[in-house]
Amino acid sequence: MTALEGTPSVRRLTAWDPAELESRASEYGTPLYVLDLDRISENAQRLASAFPDAEILYAVKANALKDVLETLHGEGIGLECASAGELTRALDASDDGAAVHYTAVNPPAHDLDQVVEAWEAYPELTITAGSEDTIDRLADRGYDGRLCLRVNPGIGAGHHEKVQTGAAAKFGVPAERAVDVLADAAERSFDVVGIHAHVGSGVSSDQLDAHREFVSRMGEIARSVTEAVGDLEFVDVGGGFGVPYREDEQPLDLEAVANATREALGDVNAQLTIEPGRYLVADAGVLLTEINTVKAARDTTVVGVDAGMTTLLRPAMYDAYHPIRNLTAAREADSSDAERGREQIPQTIAGPICESGDVFATDRTLPASERGDVIAIGNAGAYGYEMANQYNSRPRPASVVTEDGTVRLARRRETIDDVTRVERER
């Protein structure tokens, strides 16, 4: 029996034990992120099984917690970084330059300075440039190492228009310029190793045609580059593999995506590289928050919680849906001595931020809430803490991880002193 047999392809919020999650909230306080490292390993193994011949890089921006990076590196997954800060964290977690890619998007000067300095210590790392200007700036800093070119194939897909990167002018060199740009880079003694593009984030099974068209275009570009410049090590088609946030959505047919990717790429004398982020960590994390206010409004019942858009930004930024479960009510229902069941009523779950957009759900039908109840917000392992902020001078939450049945604090809760320290220590 393999490690994956019997494990679901998606972990729903109802699969988390409500009593155990409540105990985490009691011990560590709320708001609190809980991450299951064993689930992250399962997701990594599932990807490796579907893409056995591909290089898999994890998009660090999804969740840069050191425990997450160490877990994925231990599973043989590389680390793709969108900033110098992420690159520093990836090297700290892996100490392996060959496993790290830096994908620059209009990189600030201090980012390039830091990345080139890291390259001097780790000459095996790969830098992906998204413009000729960035290549010039790297050359000015003495960089002539492993260079990948981000191209713009003109095809985008994803769960929201703000994350459909494949056709956005911000990202990459126009595909028709790729051969000339890489030929010039090779003449300037850069070690040209690959091409890269990313269609978008949260691609679902019903967007498979767009994904297939995008990968096919990348295969065409790779063959043109090979003919003009020479063999490439890899063709990186990004990640963007979606996960089902809604309870009635089916999980991504990963085998179908893998087969479509290989077929669409065609005959290319280079390794296929993929860069999943969300798929590896989303369903491995939940956000716990406590109810502090229940009030009857004109058209709904408003349930106030101690997490907000500063804790989990996705609902406010993308109108994103996240499953929600009242853990206290679920535990009561599971208890043998529970004599009552709560009425199911529509409720609006709102945070403490002074913005009308600070809402996690509107008119969501849930068991009637009571002050002190603990609520879990599911699929919070990706782009949760990474997008947390200190708006309204609110400290960011703590994170705990679970692994092999043990629980440990992975990141302490910030304090007001942390928020104001940069003003005092200047």
Side-chain angles (χ1 to χ4, degrees):
M1 181 173 180
T2 68
L4 289 178
E5 288 181 15
T7 64
S9 57
V10 61
R11 187 178 190 183
R12 307 287 186 180
L13 181 55
T14 52
W16 296 77
D17 184 273
E20 287 187 7
L21 289 178
E22 266 198 305
S23 71
R24 306 287 174 261
S26 176
E27 181 175 0
Y28 296 99
T30 57
L32 179 71
Y33 277 101
V34 180
L35 286 160
D36 183 346
L37 300 181
D38 296 323
R39 179 63 189 177
I40 292 173
S41 290
E42 290 173 4
N43 289 339
Q45 292 165 25
R46 187 174 297 104
L47 269 169
S49 177
F51 290 90
D53 300 322
E55 177 188 30
I56 303 175
L57 306 175
Y58 167 63
V60 172
K61 66 180 181 177
N63 192 318
L65 187 68
K66 187 175 184 181
D67 292 87
V68 171
L69 304 187
E70 290 177 340
T71 296
L72 288 169
H73 184 255
E75 293 289 345
I77 307 296
L79 305 172
E80 183 270 326
C81 309
S83 71
E86 288 182 0
L87 181 120
T88 298
R89 299 180 75 170
L91 290 173
D92 284 346
S94 68
D95 194 31
D96 182 3
V100 176
H101 287 219
Y102 168 67
T103 304
V105 180
N106 303 327
H110 53 76
D111 266 40
L112 288 185
D113 291 341
Q114 187 173 339
V115 170
V116 171
E117 183 178 347
W119 163 69
E120 292 170 351
Y122 294 92
E124 305 90 357
L125 72 80
T126 300
I127 295 181
T128 299
S131 71
E132 295 171 80
D133 205 2
T134 299
I135 296 174
D136 291 341
R137 295 167 69 202
L138 287 168
D140 291 344
R141 287 164 170 78
Y143 182 82
D144 60 0
R146 294 171 54 81
L147 181 73
C148 174
L149 182 69
R150 182 167 190 165
V151 300
N152 186 311
I155 301 166
H159 71 86
H160 191 279
E161 62 181 11
K162 292 181 180 179
V163 298
Q164 295 174 3
T165 56
K170 174 179 177 178
F171 300 97
V173 171
E176 60 271 18
R177 292 276 303 137
V179 170
D180 290 342
V181 171
L182 284 176
D184 179 69
E187 288 181 4
R188 297 167 67 182
S189 298
F190 284 96
D191 183 12
V192 174
V193 294
I195 58 172
H196 161 90
H198 178 52
V199 71
S201 183
V203 176
S204 59
S205 294
D206 60 7
Q207 295 173 318
L208 196 55
D209 286 345
H211 175 76
R212 186 182 291 107
E213 182 182 357
F214 155 70
V215 176
S216 177
R217 180 67 174 129
M218 290 296 290
E220 294 171 3
I221 297 168
R223 286 184 284 275
S224 297
V225 170
T226 298
E227 183 177 343
V229 181
D231 287 342
L232 298 172
E233 282 187 24
F234 62 85
V235 177
D236 188 336
V237 299
F241 303 150
V243 299
Y245 283 86
R246 294 182 181 271
E247 292 88 344
D248 58 353
E249 289 177 344
Q250 293 302 306
L252 187 70
D253 187 339
L254 196 59
E255 293 293 338
V257 172
N259 291 335
T261 300
R262 284 188 288 264
E263 291 172 5
L265 188 62
D267 185 15
V268 173
N269 187 27
Q271 184 174 43
L272 171 67
T273 297
I274 58 173
E275 292 180 356
R278 183 190 317 272
Y279 185 90
L280 287 163
V281 294
D283 72 351
V286 297
L287 171 62
L288 305 181
T289 180
E290 183 174 319
I291 295 173
N292 55 57
T293 304
V294 180
K295 71 172 184 178
R298 290 187 182 90
D299 302 314
T300 188
T301 297
V302 176
V303 177
V305 296
D306 59 7
M309 60 188 285
T310 54
T311 321
L312 178 65
L313 184 59
R314 295 189 72 254
M317 186 168 183
Y318 302 123
D319 294 322
Y321 180 98
H322 282 263
I324 294 176
R325 190 182 193 196
N326 187 315
L327 299 174
T328 306
R331 174 180 52 77
E332 289 174 353
D334 290 341
S335 174
S336 59
D337 59 0
E339 296 295 333
R340 66 187 181 92
R342 300 194 190 183
E343 180 184 4
Q344 299 280 332
I345 61 173
Q347 299 164 73
T348 294
I349 312 299
I353 312 305
C354 191
E355 299 279 349
S356 58
D358 182 34
V359 173
F360 292 119
T362 300
D363 292 334
R364 187 80 60 86
T365 299
L366 297 165
S369 295
E370 299 176 3
R371 192 189 323 144
D373 287 351
V374 178
I375 281 180
I377 301 177
N379 275 352
Y383 305 103
Y385 190 95
E386 291 308 306
M387 299 179 81
N389 58 82
Q390 297 174 338
Y391 182 45
N392 280 183
S393 294
R394 294 192 179 276
R396 286 175 292 190
S399 299
V400 298
V401 295
T402 65
E403 185 177 25
D404 295 329
T406 64
V407 182
R408 65 176 182 273
L409 183 67
R411 177 166 42 210
R412 70 168 175 82
R413 187 177 309 282
E414 285 186 342
T415 65
I416 293 295
D417 185 64
D418 292 318
V419 174
T420 60
R421 181 175 294 123
V422 292
E423 298 172 15
R424 302 190 310 276
E425 299 176 0
R426 60 183 188 270

